[in-house]
Amino acid sequence: MRMVLLGPPGAGKGTHAKRLANDLGLVHISTGDILRDNVKKQTPLGKEANNYMDSGLLVPDDLMAKMLDQRLNEPCVNKGFILDGYPRNLSQAKTLDDALGKRNMEIELVIYLDTSEPVIIQRLSGRLVCSSCGANFHITNMPPKQKGICDNCGAKLYQRNDDKEETVRRRLEVYRRETAPIIKYYEAKGKFYSLSSDGQVETVLNNIKQFVKGHNDSFKV
Ligand code: AMP
């Protein structure tokens, strides 16, 4: 199974992709997580990407294409994957098709997490991220057991720079302009399905899981 989780910032792509990948035995590919890891380690890619990320802009396509290629070369990807955060524009959607085509693979399913604007703002303004393992929490929706501390690894939680109000607004604009047009691209390929992501985490996750399992025969989850 090779699938893409699409949706605006705050739709819950990261949260659901991590859990789904774990439950379905797939690899989670989050371009945002890879970039944040590079920023933390101050790699050349991290240094180049940092300003774009902090301003809520997209990192240039050529850098992202190289990153994708490297990730797809990892052998574990052969067992199937969930892409979270890629593609983010039409050119990246085509790059993805080409990169997979070279490996005799293709995207089988695209799930769009449909989320209303008030929910997006509420989620992003309260989101907390683990500084070590990258796990996501939320001040009220998904609070950690101990304030400011990651349940999984005990490291400190922080607010992402790009979750500040001004940057969130920019990210939403970028999403509408650059990313939303991908919907038509995948609709035309007959691979696009939209599910509501406004509810509680467990409810939405179960809906996605049921939906994916409903494709069991054709997609061999
Ligand atoms: P995310 O964690 O997916 O919200 O991504 C955080 C930030 O990383 C985005 O706002 C972009 O600056 C950058 N980023 C992640 N994925 C991509 C991508 N596919 N193309 C360009 N920039 C990306």
Side-chain angles (χ1 to χ4, degrees):
M1 154 69 88
R2 296 168 204 110
M3 61 184 275
V4 172
L5 273 191
L6 263 189
K13 298 187 294 296
T15 301
H16 295 307
K18 275 194 186 82
R19 295 272 303 272
L20 273 177
N22 189 45
D23 295 355
L24 301 175
L26 302 169
V27 175
H28 174 210
I29 304 181
S30 158
T31 46
D33 282 355
I34 303 174
L35 287 169
R36 277 183 290 279
D37 195 46
N38 276 275
V39 170
K40 198 162 95 185
K41 293 178 179 148
Q42 287 284 294
T43 65
L45 168 65
K47 285 183 189 161
E48 203 166 341
N50 199 11
N51 280 343
Y52 294 100
M53 295 171 77
D54 277 356
S55 324
L57 298 172
L58 294 186
V59 173
D61 288 347
D62 54 337
L63 287 183
M64 297 308 300
K66 262 188 239 156
M67 210 176 92
L68 177 75
D69 217 49
Q70 275 172 13
R71 190 72 171 96
L72 292 178
N73 280 341
E74 291 173 24
C76 61
V77 164
N78 290 330
K79 68 179 179 179
F81 57 79
I82 303 180
L83 266 170
D84 147 24
Y86 197 100
R88 259 190 160 88
N89 59 30
L90 264 179
S91 153
Q92 292 186 6
K94 289 174 187 154
T95 300
L96 175 63
D97 283 349
D98 290 347
L100 292 178
K102 273 194 280 179
R103 295 166 170 89
N104 291 321
M105 295 179 188
E106 61 175 357
I107 292 297
E108 290 142 280
L109 178 63
V110 178
I111 295 183
Y112 174 71
L113 299 178
D114 188 17
T115 319
S116 64
E117 194 144 329
V119 170
I120 291 174
I121 304 292
Q122 194 268 354
R123 281 186 187 156
L124 293 181
S125 59
R127 173 158 69 179
L128 296 169
V129 183
C130 175
S131 53
S132 177
C133 71
N136 281 326
F137 296 87
H138 188 278
I139 292 170
T140 51
N141 305 354
M142 233 188 344
K145 292 195 184 89
Q146 200 186 334
K147 196 176 165 197
I149 302 292
C150 176
D151 289 357
N152 301 339
C153 70
K156 275 194 181 160
L157 303 179
Y158 72 102
Q159 186 186 33
R160 279 171 43 173
N161 278 343
D162 59 351
D163 278 347
K164 306 210 162 109
E165 196 185 328
E166 183 59 35
T167 318
V168 165
R169 229 175 287 133
R170 171 89 55 78
R171 286 164 65 205
L172 283 171
E173 276 165 29
V174 168
Y175 171 78
R176 286 190 202 102
R177 191 178 61 238
E178 308 260 347
T179 312
I182 302 177
I183 293 174
K184 285 209 167 63
Y185 179 78
Y186 286 120
E187 268 176 347
K189 289 176 178 280
K191 296 175 176 173
F192 180 86
Y193 299 88
S194 176
L195 298 178
S196 169
S197 186
D198 268 358
Q200 304 282 317
V201 174
E202 293 303 324
T203 313
V204 175
L205 180 68
N206 276 333
N207 287 343
I208 304 173
K209 227 189 282 180
Q210 290 314 314
F211 181 82
V212 173
K213 286 185 172 163
H215 284 80
N216 210 355
D217 288 337
S218 43
F219 291 126
K220 299 189 185 69
V221 175

